Amino acid sequence: MMLRPHAPLRSNHLCLSDSETESDDLDEHILKVQDRKKNSTGVYDGKENCMYKKNKKIDTVNEDHMKSLMDESDIMMRKAEIYQEYMKQIPVPSSICGLPVSYMTWQELARTIKQVYGQPLHYLTNKLLKQWDQLRIGTKDESKPLDNIIDPIKAVATVWGMEEFHRQCSSHQHLAKLWLSDPLQHDSLDKTVPH
């Protein structure tokens, strides 16, 4: 995290991001869409301004396109809000047990946890476990079962710790941004969860 001195912003002040993540790019995209909607009286030319055309047909097409982009964003925001509220209501198990099944990957562990505990896992937990599996590709232990590398009780406790955080502390706005940028987001959502 980068600390900045506290000073009033000036027009020539550079605002730099602390990170270069997809969500930063997505924030910019959403702001551009909102700006385009504000300028919907003309035709968006791909720059910061709007070209005014006399042709009403072009204006209508552009306005409809901008409206559909905003509608998609609004719908996704509402879906994310419903999803997050639903996940907050599900209590994380108070006692954690070892699992009777061997598992090769974090995602296999997640499937087993869902079956044993009868609970869905949060989208962000599933996404993170998938990333952890990808991190193992190319290592000497890639083909070794995960339960031979990490103690199964610790692995299960790790997943539930993440799950508790994601259920209680995740922002629905952040989820909506991720879902808008991830066309395959439904693959990471459990089928038992409303979305």
Side-chain angles (χ1 to χ4, degrees), residues 88-117:
K88 274 184 181 180
Q89 294 172 9
I90 304 171
V92 172
S94 57
S95 64
I96 297 171
C97 60
L99 300 175
V101 189
S102 180
Y103 46 90
M104 290 290 294
T105 66
W106 285 102
Q107 290 175 84
E108 286 178 17
L109 173 62
R111 280 190 292 278
T112 304
I113 287 173
K114 291 174 204 176
Q115 291 171 349
V116 169
Y117 291 93

Side-chain angles (χ1 to χ4, degrees), residues 172-186:
H172 71 275
Q173 290 98 344
H174 179 70
L175 278 174
K177 289 176 192 176
L178 287 174
W179 291 351
L180 284 168
S181 70
D182 181 8
L184 301 175
Q185 57 99 357
H186 289 288

Side-chain angles (χ1 to χ4, degrees), residues 47-96:
K47 299 177 184 168
E48 294 302 319
N49 58 355
C50 208
M51 298 185 323
Y52 292 93
K53 298 281 186 184
K54 292 180 182 176
N55 186 342
K56 291 285 184 189
K57 184 176 181 182
I58 292 174
D59 289 347
T60 305
V61 168
N62 183 52
E63 192 172 304
D64 290 345
H65 178 68
M66 291 303 133
K67 186 183 256 187
S68 71
L69 286 174
M70 287 307 293
D71 288 345
E72 180 184 354
S73 177
D74 292 342
I75 289 168
M76 194 62 75
M77 189 71 71
R78 182 67 184 132
K79 284 181 177 182
E81 186 176 16
I82 291 168
Y83 175 84
Q84 188 61 31
E85 286 303 314
Y86 174 79
M87 293 303 288
K88 274 184 181 180
Q89 294 172 9
I90 304 171
V92 172
S94 57
S95 64
I96 297 171

Side-chain angles (χ1 to χ4, degrees), residues 152-166:
I153 294 176
K154 286 182 183 177
V156 172
T158 299
V159 171
W160 282 120
M162 278 190 304
E163 182 65 17
E164 184 172 25
F165 176 79
H166 289 145

Side-chain angles (χ1 to χ4, degrees), residues 106-107 125-135 188:
W106 285 102
Q107 290 175 84
T125 302
N126 286 317
K127 190 170 177 70
L128 188 57
L129 294 175
K130 183 177 182 180
Q131 289 172 348
W132 285 2
D133 284 340
Q134 290 169 346
L135 291 173
S188 296

